[in-house]
Amino acid sequence: MRRILLAILSVFWIFAVPNQACAETGYDLWLRYQPLDSGAKERVGQVVGGYFTAQTHRPTMEAAARELRTGLSAMLGYQIVQRHTVQADGGIVLGTGESPHIAPLGLPLASLGREGYLLRSVVIEGKQVTIIAGNTDVGVLYGVFAFLKRIQLGQPIDKLDIIDKPKLQLRVLNHWDNLDRHVERGYSGWSIWDWQKLPGYKDPRYTDYARANASIGINGVVLTNVNANAEVLKPEWLQKVKALAEVFRPYGIKVYLTARFSAPIEIGGMKTADPLDPGVAAWWKAKIDEIYGVIPDFGGFLVKANSEGQPGPNDYHRSHADGANMFADALKAHGGVVMWRAFVYAAENPEDRHKQAYTDFKPLDGKFRDNVLVQVKNGAIDFQPREPFHPLFGAMPRTPLMMEFQITKEYLGFATHLAYLGPMWEEVLEADTFRPAKGSTVAKVIETPVAPGAVTGMAGVANVGNDLNWSGSQFDQANWYAFGRFAWDPDASAHAIARDWAGLTWGNDPALVDPIVAMMMGSREAVVDYMTPLGLTHLMATGHHYGPGPWVADLARPEWNPVYYHKADANGIGFDRTKTGSDALSQYAPEVARLWGDPKKVPENLLLWFHHVPWDRKMQSGRTLWDELVVRYDAGVEAVAAMQARWDGLKDKVDARRWSEVRDFLAIQHEEAKWWRDASIAYFQSISKRPLPVGHAAPPHDLEHYKAINNRYAPGNG
Ligand code: BDP
């Protein structure tokens, strides 16, 4: 009897709590292909019938067909199969312009370029047919993903006339992954590259990773950390790299490696790595030829040189151009590129860190080979929650500049803080450099080739690891997704991207999408408020960067210390970057410098970035600066509480496992937002010596308490 009762109960349990029965983990990312409701099933079923391609036995076309089959079959609940003729009963036709079924249609494929796609509803012999076409197989693959996305989002597919193509050529993830699988600034487990089992075992996860990337147009992956290890260039490691390249190739993804500048010494047995030494150049040429012998479509190198202790050409009194060109010359014959990072600042240099990259690189404009891109972080310091755009954008008109964003949230709360980075990237991309003229946004600068056919690109420091959910949190997947979308179209809208992602990832119901998008769109500003409001920056704890450390003043290099950045004293707070200070503003176009140089005109969210202002200065709100600072810290904490309340309201609409994970992470975020707020207020109050505004509670502990917190084992520490 007891057994029968239990059986009845368990049946009841499964039906009563469906979310528990098939818990989603987040592994499927935005490619969940959930079953459609019956109305949509019928509508989509009428259009898709089956699919046909004349171009079989081609790896990329097969990947495209496989994705179409998998996606449609899952959403429709029955098997979609390949037809043997196009006219069988309408359906989908996949192919490039050479396909005998597509060529006669006279479609405007020429405008698609190499990677664009076309989705078009046509009638062939009285049958409704959907064409998914491109000039290359990869274009077709991108078209398949776009088509599947429309269905997932409930958008019509019966009268399609869509053309899309990427605005940037190189759309690259930078993995800061070490060969021992530790990920520098990684908050989602270990590196997904299981080097020890490669090349023998190719984890199927690599294929899912490639699918995810291809679905958002990412076409390159730098496998290794910018703080590079020369070992990866050894023959046995190249076999491992080759294995990954083979998995990625059908998805249109090239592999790249980071080149350690001193490799000729470390693994080549040479005495020097001087780029102008013919022996060194010959060593690299032979190494590069060897790599292409193993991986014929190798993408090239990403190089961090003379920055944070990495070796580089300056060690031999050579310029960054000398270093980059040495690689470029050897890569050119194979069609490879060098992505040379502008993230440089030197210990010996007393100049404002904000200015150093510009000072080093601006004079080199026009001196790089045409297969070099200078890769510039979005801001002049270092991926902080808010930075003005980097002054190099627009300042090197003869050099391809590649945007570098950080997807992993080193400075925005690691994995547990919900911070959608779309608005941050959009803010930078929309910023007007005024170079050469008004309207030259950062997006335009990176999109416009410096010469006909010149290379363009965007890089994102990946947040992918071997966590079940890939990115460390469900919502951090949105940042991976958004990066791909911005790399495809730097003029895209963060809001529209968030809507797409939310619909794909959580479910296509406005009652779900609207509140989730609202949470996402406000989330980055919340982080800015509780960590670094009003243009403050770089106030995190030492080394691991987890939590607040605005008091830190004892590190060897001045620009490693938070006190260097906020310069709080009895009179006020902020970094004077006008003429009376470091004059970093002079690196921007005069229009920008004038606006930001005027403390009355600069947006308040950048005030303390550019100005040292008195504690009692009147702000737009009518409050004093000190009061405003406190109000912002509290606003940040309250915004997290508001996200918690919103999320609680979605409990019945989201599968239980993912819902609980987000709830718990938001609770952690709330605690940590309070920690940032309390510690920062305790510290700054010890300097400003002003009372807290009415209604704003004193931190529960004294400053010493916050200073004593030690998180030495926080993840991701380089
Ligand atoms: C900093 C990171 C450090 C990286 C460096 C870089 O803390 O781990 O190596 O950027 O971009 O933000 O090279």
Side-chain angles (χ1 to χ4, degrees):
M1 184 62 199
R2 217 172 134 246
R3 246 191 262 153
I4 294 171
L5 207 68
L6 273 178
I8 292 170
L9 270 178
S10 63
V11 168
F12 178 76
W13 178 248
I14 288 171
F15 286 107
V17 193
N19 287 337
Q20 303 284 0
C22 51
E24 288 197 58
T25 60
Y27 183 89
D28 294 335
L29 294 161
W30 47 87
L31 301 173
R32 290 159 61 242
Y33 303 134
Q34 290 292 293
L36 300 174
D37 64 39
S38 51
K41 221 176 245 179
E42 207 183 309
R43 276 195 307 278
V44 173
Q46 271 165 12
V47 177
V48 301
Y51 73 92
F52 171 81
T53 176
Q55 295 164 313
T56 48
H57 306 299
R58 292 160 54 152
T60 299
M61 208 59 94
E62 275 171 12
R66 197 163 46 238
E67 196 70 31
L68 194 64
R69 239 172 12 236
T70 313
L72 290 176
S73 304
M75 288 191 282
L76 291 169
Y78 52 85
Q79 285 305 311
I80 292 295
V81 292
Q82 167 143 20
R83 303 282 193 213
H84 297 296
T85 65
V86 69
Q87 291 94 348
D89 62 351
I92 301 163
V93 175
L94 302 181
T96 64
E98 295 114 52
S99 162
H101 301 90
I102 293 182
L105 300 175
L107 299 168
L109 296 181
S111 64
L112 298 179
R114 220 188 62 75
E115 294 176 299
Y117 63 82
L118 169 146
L119 308 179
R120 171 83 68 98
S121 310
V122 298
V123 176
I124 300 179
E125 298 192 4
K127 305 279 184 193
Q128 155 114 23
V129 170
T130 306
I131 303 288
I132 303 181
N135 287 316
T136 60
D137 293 10
V138 172
V140 177
L141 176 69
Y142 289 161
V144 164
F145 278 114
F147 181 68
L148 290 170
K149 178 180 146 209
R150 290 190 70 82
I151 299 176
Q152 286 172 281
L153 291 177
Q155 295 163 350
I157 53 161
D158 54 342
K159 291 192 189 71
L160 291 176
D161 186 6
I162 292 174
I163 276 184
D164 198 8
K165 64 176 177 187
K167 288 188 184 156
L168 298 178
Q169 292 168 34
L170 307 183
R171 306 176 298 278
V172 182
L173 284 185
N174 291 183
H175 282 255
W176 286 359
D177 294 16
N178 294 319
L179 303 186
D180 63 3
R181 297 190 75 180
H182 178 266
V183 181
E184 180 150 343
R185 313 308 177 185
Y187 312 105
S188 29
W190 296 98
S191 167
I192 57 167
W193 320 135
D194 193 347
W195 293 113
Q196 195 261 332
K197 299 197 190 80
L198 284 164
Y201 176 64
K202 296 178 188 167
D203 190 330
R205 191 161 189 171
Y206 305 145
T207 306
D208 287 334
Y209 167 83
R211 289 175 50 232
N213 277 335
S215 75
I216 48 176
I218 287 170
N219 66 1
V221 177
V222 183
L223 299 173
T224 47
N225 192 353
V226 285
N227 297 319
N229 184 337
E231 293 271 316
V232 77
L233 302 172
K234 288 183 170 174
E236 60 276 24
W237 281 88
L238 292 180
Q239 290 304 317
K240 299 170 190 280
V241 174
K242 175 186 182 194
L244 290 174
E246 281 165 0
V247 179
F248 300 159
R249 189 168 296 124
Y251 291 90
I253 298 167
K254 286 186 178 183
V255 298
Y256 299 75
L257 292 171
T258 46
R260 181 151 165 95
F261 202 82
S262 48
I265 301 173
E266 288 160 16
I267 61 167
M270 302 192 62
K271 294 237 153 24
T272 175
D274 180 351
L276 298 192
D277 180 304
V280 171
W283 185 87
W284 277 112
K285 183 174 178 320
K287 179 50 74 184
I288 287 166
D289 291 345
E290 178 192 342
I291 297 175
Y292 279 92
V294 180
I295 307 155
D297 57 351
F298 180 66
F301 286 136
L302 168 65
V303 186
K304 171 178 178 179
N306 294 117
S307 174
E308 300 185 325
Q310 294 299 306
N314 297 171
D315 302 348
Y316 306 95
H317 308 288
R318 312 297 187 196
S319 74
H320 284 285
D322 293 330
N325 291 342
M326 172 190 65
F327 291 108
D329 287 340
L331 286 161
K332 179 86 181 170
H334 304 282
V337 299
V338 187
M339 298 171 285
W340 192 270
R341 296 179 88 223
F343 178 70
V344 296
Y345 63 99
E348 317 73 41
N349 192 344
E351 193 180 40
D352 175 5
R353 177 170 162 191
H354 187 298
K355 296 175 74 176
Q356 293 189 29
Y358 181 100
T359 307
D360 276 14
F361 277 84
K362 163 86 181 145
L364 299 176
D365 189 26
K367 301 221 159 70
F368 292 96
R369 301 283 189 268
D370 63 4
N371 57 334
V372 176
L373 297 103
V374 171
Q375 183 169 309
V376 184
K377 287 190 182 181
N378 56 277
I381 302 292
D382 194 1
F383 296 141
Q384 298 298 301
R386 168 166 283 117
E387 295 194 30
F389 72 86
H390 200 298
L392 276 174
F393 290 112
M396 296 183 68
R398 294 195 285 160
T399 309
L401 296 188
M402 186 168 182
M403 172 62 76
E404 178 176 321
F405 285 133
Q406 191 181 44
I407 309 171
T408 188
K409 302 204 314 301
E410 175 180 0
Y411 300 104
L412 288 101
F414 294 12
T416 43
H417 293 212
L418 197 164
Y420 169 52
L421 303 181
M424 176 163 103
W425 298 336
E426 183 177 54
E427 185 176 298
V428 170
L429 290 163
E430 281 178 355
D432 198 340
T433 70
F434 285 88
R435 283 179 164 144
K438 188 171 165 44
S440 304
T441 59
V442 172
K444 278 235 171 67
V445 168
I446 60 171
E447 279 165 24
T448 312
V450 297
V455 63
T456 57
M458 184 184 288
V461 180
N463 66 354
V464 170
N466 74 344
D467 269 10
L468 204 46
N469 64 27
W470 299 90
S471 300
S473 85
Q474 305 296 336
F475 273 87
D476 279 341
Q477 296 178 355
N479 294 324
W480 180 8
Y481 181 84
F483 169 75
R485 295 280 303 269
F486 277 114
W488 181 275
D489 179 8
D491 303 296
S493 135
H495 186 265
I497 294 172
R499 281 205 79 82
D500 283 355
W501 177 80
L504 297 167
T505 304
W506 298 102
N508 201 26
D509 166 4
L512 199 50
V513 171
D514 293 346
I516 287 177
V517 170
M519 286 169 69
M520 291 168 75
M521 291 306 290
S523 59
R524 176 271 191 142
E525 206 60 45
V527 175
V528 171
D529 279 343
Y530 63 71
M531 288 187 183
T532 51
L534 300 177
L536 287 173
T537 200
H538 209 285
L539 303 183
M540 65 286 168
T542 304
H544 47 65
H545 300 167
Y546 174 52
W551 46 80
V552 175
D554 59 352
L555 302 178
R557 295 167 54 156
E559 76 288 328
W560 281 351
N561 291 291
V563 297
Y564 169 92
Y565 296 93
H566 64 66
K567 304 210 185 307
D569 56 26
N571 299 321
I573 182 170
F575 198 129
D576 182 3
R577 293 194 161 100
T578 67
K579 285 201 174 54
T580 53
S582 79
D583 202 20
L585 272 164
S586 65
Q587 296 182 334
Y588 290 96
E591 292 87 341
V592 178
R594 261 200 306 279
L595 182 73
W596 290 350
D598 181 345
K600 294 198 200 68
K601 293 200 184 127
V602 65
E604 282 189 349
N605 63 22
L606 290 177
L607 178 66
L608 304 181
W609 187 284
F610 289 113
H611 301 274
H612 188 82
V613 295
W615 294 111
D616 294 324
R617 176 189 193 271
K618 274 270 167 303
M619 302 293 282
Q620 275 157 21
S621 61
R623 298 185 194 100
T624 65
L625 169 66
W626 166 248
D627 286 359
E628 183 72 24
L629 202 59
V630 175
V631 166
R632 294 289 176 111
Y633 279 120
D634 274 323
V637 176
E638 281 155 23
V640 180
M643 288 201 282
Q644 289 181 287
R646 270 216 154 96
W647 191 251
D648 284 344
L650 298 178
K651 185 162 195 238
D652 300 336
K653 296 191 165 19
V654 175
D655 43 286
R657 178 172 170 157
R658 290 192 302 164
W659 182 83
S660 311
E661 184 185 311
V662 174
R663 177 204 52 199
D664 293 351
F665 280 19
L666 284 168
I668 295 171
Q669 182 177 11
H670 192 238
E671 281 310 304
E672 295 185 353
K674 283 193 285 186
W675 171 30
W676 268 94
R677 177 259 180 213
D678 292 336
S680 305
I681 290 179
Y683 169 69
F684 287 126
Q685 193 174 27
S686 76
I687 302 173
S688 80
K689 310 263 192 247
R690 277 154 174 80
L692 294 182
V694 181
H696 294 264
H701 303 283
D702 65 8
L703 179 56
E704 292 316 307
H705 167 89
Y706 300 107
K707 284 186 174 176
I709 296 173
N710 183 333
N711 283 299
R712 90 169 42 86
Y713 301 116
N717 198 355

